[in-house]
Amino acid sequence: MSYELILVRYGELTLKGRNRKKFEDLMFLKLKQALRSFEAIGYEKNFGRVYVQLNGESYDEVAAKLREIFGLHSFSPVLRATHDLEDIRAKALQLMRAERPVPRTFKVTVKRAWKEYPHDSQEMNHLVGAHVLRNSPELKVDVRQPDVELKVDIQPQGVFLYSTMIPGAGGFPLGMNGKAMLMLSGGIDSPVAGWMAMRKGLEIEAVHFHSYPFTSEQATEKVITLTQKLAHYGGKIKLHLVPFTDLQTRMAQSGHDHLIITFMRRTMLRIAEKLAERSGALAIVTGDSLGQVASQTLSSMNVIGRTISIPLLRPLVMMDKQDIIRYAEKIGTYETSILPFEDCCTLFVPKSPATNPNLRIVEKAEAEWGEELERMIDEAVQGTETIVMTPNGRLVRKKEAEAAADRWF
Ligand code: ATP
Ligand code: MG
């Protein structure tokens, strides 16, 4: 069936006042951006509702895009009728016949927003319902739990009919809630955490720590690919590649084998925080999930998280691995994440990493490194390379030191 329109509903209806207006304006902008490749498309706004006019563009292709837009609660393919009763009835029947799976029961819900229409909504329920029933002997009416609810919305400029509601990604439009720095490893979890942060309206930049030449170019390429996949949802994403070899080697010589991962994580966070400050990001996002590995016990999270003072967001903290994998598959990062390249944390991994690290011992060891640690952290920040990924490929690659002097991109 060829639909003419798609009714689009925004989410977060609890928003009020100025926030609501900001949300709707940004949403409309994101909607237009997401659909910009469909040249024929037009838009119609009507009492807080937005209709996408397909003008011959493929419903399926547009729907696939709509599903990905953050902040979009749901949408419905719509048939449009004139105010003529026979036209409304014909379109109602056409919609019901296209329903899959074939419904056994239905009900009609008419909303008469245009009060000058000659029949009130009760009459219209009956007039439309009776016509559908007459022409579909297998169908019955069920007003309590119908398989299909056929909605008929009578407006001054025409009548809109729809019966399905397709869920969108939900959340907030991208950028509405500020910016965060995503710690992106090559694993399954952190890309999902990044997607969830974006869904909540956070623009993200990503930071990845590599231990070249202990880790391969391919490991870095994998993270670049993951960033590109996230850029599919976020437009453009900056990826900061931090040289971590020296720090990692230094920590491996600490004499506290079981604490290496704890030291590494704390140091990564401190570097990420510095990069976040530079780029105006107000939080750090990780793919930590409670209990998954030694560094993600509550005790480890406690010791690791104390390193920084900006909020540390862990969207996956209460999720099971199976659920995380399902998301990774849905957003298209899973295949890349399971490629077998080593990342820096799988090197130098001690036989028994601490599941219950002692904060005092950790802080004491770090204090002993003192200025050396500070200097190495600064060097890592200075040596950071930044790439801007677009959905189609990378844009620029330069050292953070140069990038700081040249912030045009
Ligand atoms: P992931 O699947 O995201 O790699 P994981 O279950 O393998 O997670 P860890 O390796 O313990 O868990 O990492 C926990 C979190 O720390 C990651 O989700 C990520 O946010 C961050 N992280 C780990 N390694 C790196 C890295 N090399 N660069 C950037 N962030 C990292
Ligand atoms: Mg990992």
Side-chain angles (χ1 to χ4, degrees), residues 190-232:
S190 41
V192 175
W195 179 84
M196 288 194 164
M198 291 196 284
R199 182 172 69 170
K200 267 295 181 192
L202 289 170
E203 182 193 336
I204 57 167
E205 291 189 14
V207 53
H208 175 70
F209 298 84
H210 64 87
S211 294
Y212 190 75
F214 298 121
T215 54
S216 61
E217 277 284 345
Q218 287 150 308
T220 305
E221 282 301 323
K222 177 176 166 184
V223 173
I224 292 174
T225 306
L226 287 171
T227 309
Q228 182 171 355
K229 298 212 161 172
L230 290 177
H232 175 75

Side-chain angles (χ1 to χ4, degrees), residues 231-246:
H232 175 75
Y233 301 95
K236 215 165 32 175
I237 298 182
K238 272 189 204 174
L239 169 63
H240 306 282
L241 295 166
V242 183
F244 205 57
T245 321
D246 291 349

Side-chain angles (χ1 to χ4, degrees), residues 360-397:
R360 249 177 350 100
I361 296 177
V362 170
E363 283 179 345
K364 191 156 159 266
E366 284 175 357
E368 277 163 20
W369 290 329
E371 278 177 19
E372 187 194 359
L373 184 61
E374 300 306 318
R375 184 179 50 74
M376 290 179 84
I377 286 178
D378 283 342
E379 275 169 14
V381 173
Q382 286 306 311
T384 297
E385 282 183 280
T386 299
I387 306 174
V388 182
M389 289 306 297
T390 61
N392 314 320
R394 70 190 70 172
L395 277 182
V396 209
R397 180 172 192 143

